[in-house]
Amino acid sequence: MASQGHVHLRLSQHPHDRLHARRNDEEWLSRQWAAEDSLAVVIAGNRVRPVDGRIEWLPTSQAPAGQRLLLGERDGRTWFAVRVQPRPEDGWVPLRGVLPALAADDTGQAPLLFHALGLAEWLHVTRFCPRCGGPLSPRAEGHELVCSDGHVQFPRTDPAVIMLITDGEPGSSSERCLLGRQRVWPVGRFSTLAGFCEPGESLEDAVRREVAEEAGVVVGEVTYFGNQPWPLPASLMLGFFGRALATDVVVDEDELEEARWLTRAELRTEAETGSLVLPGGASISRSLIEEWYGGPLPGSW
């Protein structure tokens, strides 16, 4: 299991009460929207505009007109998002652009922002009913969409596995981990392997299949590490360790350009020189690597 010291876990701390039962209570919603201590974040399309590097939460009385989304209650106040039309002005950034600030934030507002941006993205891309093709209308404070025939759609979260595959005697100096790089990444950037689950597939089998498809490596034992909400745009990253049964690497040259086995010593040396650039500290990928390595490593994307 993931150590509580990993940065990616801080992004999920201080979860809010999502107040499911209040989403259709118009009288209560109006009262909470008018409350002096209620706050709202403005979402333009699927972007936010940080102020001095931090997410700006406005008193609801100062929020612009737009689609109201109830996020929930935390710290004795009610939190909302307001979804407005995408804006061309400078300063609006996607979630990835504010992840470093969220990871360093000690107020624990990341779960609220993940909720807001995940809903906004789903509402942006889900325009028509997949069953009848009719237009969809929002209800339940943005948490449901319904067509004229009564077909209801709910927000989607897609499970994706992300895994660090190892080989050799556990804990020994010869033990190695497998990292890969995509062709479009800058030179030297490597990460753990990852992929989406397919219909009817267990998480462990998804790990084995993805590693075999991308790197040609056969995996046996798979153990759970932890998970991370990742609304980029709508994923839940499920982290695993896997033990290789065979170590020959044959990359598919579609998903990956290169995959390498590295010992702990090689990982440290190349990270220090900058010839190997690891994922940022806010990601569960970084946590998987540092959990296996046994401590912090230098450098990041």
Side-chain angles (χ1 to χ4, degrees):
M1 297 292 291
S3 164
Q4 292 302 308
H6 290 303
V7 174
H8 86 272
L9 291 174
R10 295 210 297 269
L11 295 178
S12 300
Q13 289 178 341
H14 309 294
H16 50 290
D17 182 345
R18 296 182 176 228
L19 299 176
H20 174 271
R22 294 293 193 180
R23 291 173 184 169
N24 290 301
D25 188 339
E26 292 300 330
E27 181 179 346
W28 181 89
L29 288 164
S30 296
R31 187 166 61 248
Q32 295 308 114
W33 180 258
E36 291 184 359
D37 61 349
S38 293
L39 296 175
V41 63
V42 181
I43 307 294
N46 60 358
R47 294 174 176 250
V48 293
R49 184 163 59 184
V51 176
D52 296 328
R54 300 176 70 88
I55 301 303
E56 183 178 36
W57 292 88
L58 301 171
T60 49
S61 60
Q62 299 177 20
Q67 181 184 8
R68 188 181 67 191
L69 309 175
L70 172 65
L71 303 179
E73 188 275 336
R74 209 195 76 187
D75 300 332
R77 68 172 77 206
T78 308
W79 304 72
F80 294 88
V82 176
R83 181 171 170 254
V84 300
Q85 291 300 312
R87 300 181 178 184
E89 310 101 290
D90 291 339
W92 292 89
V93 299
L95 175 57
R96 195 178 296 276
V98 296
L99 278 176
L102 289 174
D105 180 27
D106 59 4
T107 63
Q109 293 176 359
L112 289 158
L113 188 64
F114 282 6
H115 187 176
L117 284 170
L119 272 182
E121 175 69 25
W122 173 69
L123 291 165
H124 177 68
V125 301
T126 311
R127 309 289 184 86
F128 301 97
C129 177
R131 297 182 63 183
C132 68
L136 292 165
S137 300
R139 67 183 188 186
E141 287 292 289
H143 289 77
E144 296 178 14
L145 291 169
V146 62
C147 70
S148 58
D149 288 338
H151 302 139
V152 182
Q153 307 302 316
F154 298 95
R156 288 287 306 276
T157 297
D158 298 318
V161 292
I162 184 165
M163 47 277 181
L164 188 69
I165 307 305
T166 61
D167 161 66
E169 182 65 26
S172 70
S173 61
S174 61
E175 187 183 19
R176 303 180 298 173
C177 72
L178 181 67
L179 299 180
R181 57 169 279 102
Q182 297 182 17
R183 189 178 304 278
V184 297
W185 290 352
V187 174
R189 178 180 291 186
F190 279 79
S191 183
T192 53
L193 306 190
F196 287 100
C197 297
E198 294 191 349
E201 185 175 47
S202 73
L203 298 172
E204 292 82 359
D205 284 343
V207 169
R208 298 182 182 103
R209 174 186 53 78
E210 285 287 346
V211 175
E213 288 177 356
E214 295 183 5
V217 172
V218 179
V219 173
E221 180 185 9
V222 173
T223 56
Y224 178 70
F225 171 70
N227 67 85
Q228 179 179 30
W230 199 245
L232 295 164
S235 300
L236 175 66
M237 305 302 296
L238 298 144
F240 293 88
F241 289 106
R243 296 293 295 172
L245 298 177
T247 59
D248 289 344
V249 172
V250 182
V251 296
D252 63 355
E253 298 185 4
D254 179 21
E255 296 283 343
L256 296 181
E257 178 184 47
E258 182 182 0
R260 297 177 54 198
W261 290 103
L262 293 133
T263 65
R264 289 178 177 84
E266 292 168 337
L267 190 64
R268 176 80 190 189
T269 298
E270 295 195 31
E272 287 177 338
T273 62
S275 59
L276 179 75
V277 184
L278 298 171
S283 70
I284 194 172
S285 179
R286 179 70 172 225
S287 297
L288 280 162
I289 294 169
E290 292 190 339
E291 179 77 8
W292 174 79
Y293 176 76
L297 285 160
S300 70
W301 301 358

